[in-house]
Amino acid sequence: MLTGLVVTSRITHATPAAFSAHVAWRNEENKIAEQQIGYNPLGRTVDLMFGGGICEFLPNSTESSCRQDSRDLLAEAKEHFGWTVKLSRDEFDAFNPNDVSLPLMALFAPSHMDYELDRDPITQPSLKDMTEKALITLNAASQKQGKGFFLMVEGSRIDMASHSNDPATHFYDIWEYQQTVNAVLKFVEDHPDTVLISTSDHETGGLTIGRQVTDEYPEYKWEPKVISRVRNSSEVLARAWDAAAQQDQVDYLIDEIISKGLGITDPSDKEIDRLVDWKKTSKDMLALEYMLGDMVSRRAEIGWTTHGHTAVDVNLYASGKGSESLRGSHENTDINKFIVDYLDLDLDRITEELNKRIALSLSQL
């Protein structure tokens, strides 16, 4: 069976790593990259990878590398495991998904790909773009090889926007994910022997609407138009404010960051002072992102309970062959059981083989 991963995070980030590597800690991304290209205890297990995270594959002599060693994993991937490598939007658009050599990776950013709100379509494809091309590629290859395929798609940065309590960025990444789900649903309709499962591993941020923003009894409303006026993520705007020159910085803050970036025309003196004080004293980038996001959230009357994860139930959607068994409420492990049964996997046998190979590898050190 062919396996594909499509994400907007680094391809070595936690979720894609869970489907492609066996390491002790999620932050061992250098090692995860090694396993993804083929240095896996079980051998190469991934056939297609689209996303960000080029830095994990470049030698530390390269400026944009985040490796701790001098290994060039892109070169090793090509030489030792036969990977086809694409590193730009132009190269991605140019290849024919019906006739491309697997394994195939296409990486578009040193670290995470840009939020949908900030994305330049000339340099980075959308989640929907990547997913549609992955489906065609894997389907064509699976038909030639007489195998099925498994594709994991993650709208990775939805979670990250929630960690920052950035409502507009959160919305646009969710909207792009919805367009991606629609594209996959169309594929399932055209291929009735396929199943789609869509869910989350957790909720982040504790988002609510109808936030109380005054001491008076709250109005039962929220203001979506506030979201529509935002032009950049708090992440991008925080970097811009951090890099702003000292001269005329208040004018720049009001005109470029607040008015153009956040779409806010009525900043309070207190809000402006907080942002100016940050530039003089703090330099905590996350704190700045939180401040910018809160300016939008308050005006939209959107509330958040945390910058972390919550225990809120998440939605589960499924369509296609056998999806009826996923109706209703389920424990998260039920999703795993469904996939295992659907693909007729013997996890006990695979785990036994994995442990044997790891033990053999350790004995040879």
Side-chain angles (χ1 to χ4, degrees):
M1 172 168 288
L2 299 173
T3 298
L5 307 172
V6 174
V7 299
T8 51
S9 65
R10 293 187 298 274
I11 197 69
T12 52
H13 207 240
T15 299
F19 287 88
S20 58
H22 300 279
V23 297
W25 188 33
R26 60 178 286 175
N27 285 359
E28 294 181 277
E29 293 191 49
N30 285 185
K31 189 173 182 180
I32 290 166
E34 295 164 19
Q35 293 198 14
Q36 286 176 327
I37 66 169
Y39 298 111
N40 187 301
L42 295 173
R44 183 179 63 78
T45 59
V46 183
D47 301 283
L48 179 147
M49 300 192 297
F50 293 167
I54 300 172
C55 72
E56 301 291 345
F57 298 83
L58 298 175
N60 59 9
S61 57
T62 306
E63 183 178 353
S64 57
S65 172
C66 52
R67 290 196 64 79
Q68 300 300 308
D69 57 35
S70 60
R71 293 179 66 178
D72 184 343
L73 290 191
L74 296 180
E76 291 184 38
K78 296 174 187 177
E79 180 179 353
H80 300 306
F81 300 101
W83 282 85
T84 301
V85 177
K86 309 294 183 183
L87 298 178
S88 71
R89 176 71 197 255
D90 288 342
E91 291 181 347
F92 176 78
D93 289 342
F95 80 80
N96 179 357
N98 288 298
D99 187 26
V100 64
S101 177
L102 298 181
L104 166 68
M105 75 169 79
L107 305 177
F108 305 98
S111 184
H112 304 309
M113 295 179 69
D114 292 337
Y115 283 118
E116 183 61 23
L117 187 56
D118 304 317
R119 182 178 65 87
D120 180 354
I122 295 175
T123 60
Q124 293 185 11
S126 67
L127 183 66
K128 178 174 177 283
D129 294 334
M130 293 190 291
T131 301
E132 288 181 324
K133 202 149 195 179
L135 285 170
I136 297 171
T137 301
L138 291 171
N139 187 53
S142 67
Q143 289 181 351
K144 292 175 184 177
Q145 298 179 19
K147 301 177 180 179
F149 69 86
F150 172 87
L151 176 62
M152 192 287 296
V153 178
E154 183 185 45
S156 319
R157 305 219 65 193
I158 296 170
D159 167 70
M160 299 176 194
S162 298
H163 279 296
S164 295
N165 291 178
D166 182 346
T169 303
H170 184 245
F171 166 77
Y172 282 103
D173 267 60
I174 289 175
W175 181 251
E176 178 58 29
Y177 179 79
Q178 180 60 52
Q179 307 317 303
T180 304
V181 170
N182 289 342
V184 179
L185 277 172
K186 179 64 169 60
F187 181 90
V188 172
E189 290 170 1
D190 294 339
H191 301 81
D193 57 342
T194 309
V195 65
L196 158 70
I197 303 170
S198 175
T199 191
S200 307
D201 50 354
H202 54 74
E203 194 275 343
T204 303
L207 182 148
T208 61
I209 57 176
R211 174 179 177 176
Q212 182 171 348
V213 294
T214 66
D215 292 334
E216 291 78 28
Y217 192 81
E219 298 180 86
Y220 297 143
K221 68 171 187 175
W222 74 292
E223 299 289 351
K225 287 184 179 179
V226 173
I227 301 296
S228 71
R229 293 193 286 266
V230 178
R231 291 293 173 264
N232 293 104
S233 68
S234 60
E235 177 182 81
V236 162
L237 294 173
R239 288 201 297 261
W241 179 228
D242 180 50
Q246 295 298 319
Q247 63 270 24
D248 302 321
Q249 63 176 216
V250 175
D251 289 341
Y252 176 83
L253 172 64
I254 295 172
D255 295 340
E256 299 297 325
I257 304 297
I258 298 176
S259 181
K260 291 183 181 178
L262 297 179
I264 292 173
T265 57
D266 61 343
S268 67
D269 291 341
K270 183 178 180 180
E271 289 172 325
I272 294 171
D273 289 344
R274 286 183 69 200
L275 294 171
V276 171
D277 288 344
W278 177 91
K279 193 164 179 65
K280 292 177 180 177
T281 61
S282 177
K283 296 297 183 178
D284 180 337
M285 295 300 290
L286 277 179
L288 178 56
E289 288 184 35
Y290 297 167
M291 281 189 269
L292 294 169
D294 188 59
M295 290 174 68
V296 177
S297 293
R298 291 183 66 84
R299 287 165 174 80
E301 297 189 46
I302 291 173
W304 305 85
T305 64
T306 179
H307 288 288
H309 300 164
T310 71
V312 172
D313 285 347
V314 297
N315 290 355
L316 170 64
Y317 305 95
S319 181
K321 184 179 179 181
S323 60
E324 298 82 7
S325 63
L326 291 175
R327 289 174 180 165
S329 297
H330 293 269
E331 293 292 329
N332 58 357
T333 53
D334 291 344
I335 312 303
N336 170 68
K337 293 173 184 175
F338 176 89
I339 295 172
V340 168
D341 292 342
Y342 191 90
L343 299 180
D344 194 24
L345 301 177
D346 186 344
L347 291 189
D348 290 337
R349 182 189 62 77
I350 295 170
T351 302
E352 182 180 0
E353 180 65 22
L354 174 65
N355 288 334
K356 284 181 180 178
R357 296 193 185 191
I358 291 175
L360 178 61
S361 177
L362 291 174
S363 70
Q364 295 173 345
L365 293 178

